[in-house]
Amino acid sequence: MTQQLAPAIDRAYARSFVDSEIRPDADAWDRAGAIPEELLDRIAAAGLWAPFLPPEFGGAGIDMVTLGEIHEEVGRGCSSVRSLLTVHTMLSWALQRFGTDAQIQQWGPELATGRTLGAFCLSEPGAGSDTAAITTTAVPHNGGWLLNGVKKWTTNGQRADLFLVFAQGPASTIALLVPSNAPGVLVNPIDDMLGTRSSMLAEIAFSDVVLGPEALLGPSGFASGMVLTGTLDLGRYSVAAGSVGIIQACIDACSAYAAQRRVGGTALRDLPLIQAKLSDMVTDVRAARLLLAEAGRLKDRGDAATIMATWIAKYFASTAAARHASEAVQIHGANGCSPEFPVGRFYRDAKVMEIIEGSTEIQRMTIAAEAYRKWEP
């Protein structure tokens, strides 16, 4: 008997999964404000939670370019599902890159297979883009750590099993792995958001949470540099990919709608103004996809230039997604404001992309600094 090979985890594989398992129900999940547990299990069975982790952990060992393509496809289907993948990816990558052998053995297979789902805790009620302003503290305690503080806007905070928490340590920011069921951890759901409504946001309160020394990810005093920068970069990469997916979803929805809708006896698709809007969408999605692929190639080469390339890809893709999602609603007219059509969801989700993982304003400042660098004395 010939042994059947497992399918390759790539763009085509993800597209098929999204079209069968995600797109048909994305609007219903958006209205419900949650992703059903059954889908989380199907994502795990498909091997899509952390496919970049090595096969010995249960991952597929895919490269970063392919990971970006997968997150684009998931973003095309549902930005909320993509956001769950984003934060799980951030924790899983940080563990792989900075974890000890014992941490990797404990959590690696769990994260790769989706038996344990991860979330990322950085933002606070009074600290978003200004990460230096975080007030959550971790102080040495009986050889381990005592954690206190509040994190907000934690994607998948309502469901995650393991949090990657950034806190002020004795000398600088440190990163800690905190199980969601640890005594002193309180999860407060945040509902009724503008966009990514089913991403299961939460506020996470830590009240005298006692952690062992094994909770520390990376050496103490190191996290504010490499761990935080690298983790945020990968999150930004995923959001850029998801933004590309939103643009593609707008193209798909608008081209289908314009083909069947008639105005004054003329097909909407034949109107020059509609053609102009669609041509801009097609051009921008290709440009955004190329920027994303370049950032992924640099990641695969271990080139530090990937940091700026990812900033640029996220800036271009997120602003283009917001612009074209607005045009998608315009093309649909009153139908675009109806829950019967998905473009309203694209519009709301795209706005979120301009805020998370570095706001548009922060991105402009960062990218401009790159332009000025060659003229610095």
Side-chain angles (χ1 to χ4, degrees):
M1 181 181 293
T2 303
Q3 184 175 4
Q4 188 173 5
L5 297 176
I9 296 182
D10 55 14
R11 179 190 288 278
Y13 177 82
R15 181 184 297 123
S16 176
F17 181 87
V18 167
D19 286 342
S20 64
E21 305 293 340
I22 295 178
R23 283 185 64 244
D25 297 309
D27 286 328
W29 301 332
D30 185 71
R31 290 190 290 271
I35 301 298
E37 195 70 22
E38 293 77 12
L39 179 69
L40 306 183
D41 292 340
R42 289 197 292 271
I43 293 172
L48 292 175
W49 279 115
F52 59 91
L53 290 177
E56 56 264 31
F57 295 159
I62 66 170
D63 57 35
M64 286 291 121
V65 171
T66 305
L67 183 70
E69 293 173 347
I70 290 171
H71 284 208
E72 177 198 331
E73 290 296 332
V74 176
R76 177 179 63 86
C78 178
S79 291
S80 291
V81 176
R82 194 272 312 147
S83 70
L84 304 191
L85 293 185
T86 298
V87 294
H88 186 84
T89 293
M90 295 167 80
L91 190 155
S92 300
W93 179 88
L95 177 81
Q96 180 189 31
R97 176 67 178 81
F98 301 107
T100 64
D101 289 343
Q103 287 171 327
I104 292 172
Q105 289 173 10
Q106 179 182 3
W107 296 113
E110 294 292 311
L111 294 166
T113 58
R115 291 192 297 265
T116 291
L117 296 185
F120 176 77
C121 297
L122 177 63
S123 295
E124 298 182 357
S129 296
D130 183 10
T131 57
I134 63 175
T135 60
T136 297
T137 60
V139 299
H141 177 77
N142 293 336
W145 302 93
L146 187 67
L147 180 66
N148 281 281
V150 177
K151 297 296 183 178
K152 198 169 186 180
W153 316 123
T154 300
T155 295
N156 205 23
Q158 298 179 32
R159 170 59 181 80
D161 306 294
L162 184 66
F163 298 129
L164 176 59
V165 181
F166 288 86
Q168 294 293 352
S172 62
T173 305
I174 64 172
L176 297 166
L177 296 171
V178 183
S180 62
N181 62 357
V185 176
L186 179 63
V187 175
N188 297 304
I190 300 174
D191 298 316
D192 204 25
M193 294 293 290
L194 171 71
T196 60
R197 291 172 56 86
S198 52
S199 59
M200 298 185 286
L201 290 173
E203 179 181 85
I204 316 296
F206 304 97
S207 179
D208 289 334
V209 178
V210 177
L211 302 167
E214 71 282 356
L216 181 67
L217 185 65
S220 180
F222 185 57
S224 60
M226 294 299 292
V227 178
L228 184 56
T229 298
T231 306
L232 286 172
D233 173 69
L234 199 59
R236 202 168 289 124
Y237 180 67
S238 175
V239 172
S243 298
V244 178
I246 291 175
I247 305 172
Q248 185 61 58
C250 289
I251 294 170
D252 295 343
C254 291
S255 57
Y257 185 80
Q260 58 85 28
R261 182 76 172 184
R262 303 186 70 82
V263 177
T266 302
L268 206 60
R269 63 176 293 171
D270 294 331
L271 298 179
L273 288 176
I274 300 301
Q275 293 172 349
K277 293 179 190 297
L278 277 165
S279 67
D280 287 347
M281 290 182 192
V282 171
T283 301
D284 279 354
V285 79
R286 294 194 179 193
R289 196 171 282 136
L290 288 171
L291 289 170
L292 181 74
E294 175 63 9
R297 284 192 291 269
L298 291 169
K299 281 176 173 46
D300 287 327
R301 294 208 301 262
D303 192 326
T306 188
I307 301 292
M308 180 51 62
T310 303
W311 275 107
I312 293 170
K314 196 270 181 179
Y315 170 65
F316 184 90
S318 62
T319 54
R323 187 167 60 251
H324 294 311
S326 176
E327 293 287 27
V329 173
Q330 197 74 16
I331 289 172
H332 282 70
N335 283 328
C337 302
S338 163
E340 297 177 9
F341 292 82
V343 291
R345 172 167 53 88
F346 304 158
Y347 178 74
R348 291 182 284 102
D349 290 348
K351 185 64 217 176
V352 175
M353 302 308 108
E354 292 191 297
I355 297 171
I356 60 174
E357 308 306 330
S359 68
T360 297
E361 291 73 22
I362 294 292
Q363 290 175 306
R364 284 172 171 163
M365 292 166 60
T366 304
I367 295 168
E370 176 74 4
Y372 294 141
R373 187 167 291 120
K374 66 177 292 186
W375 304 108
E376 293 176 351

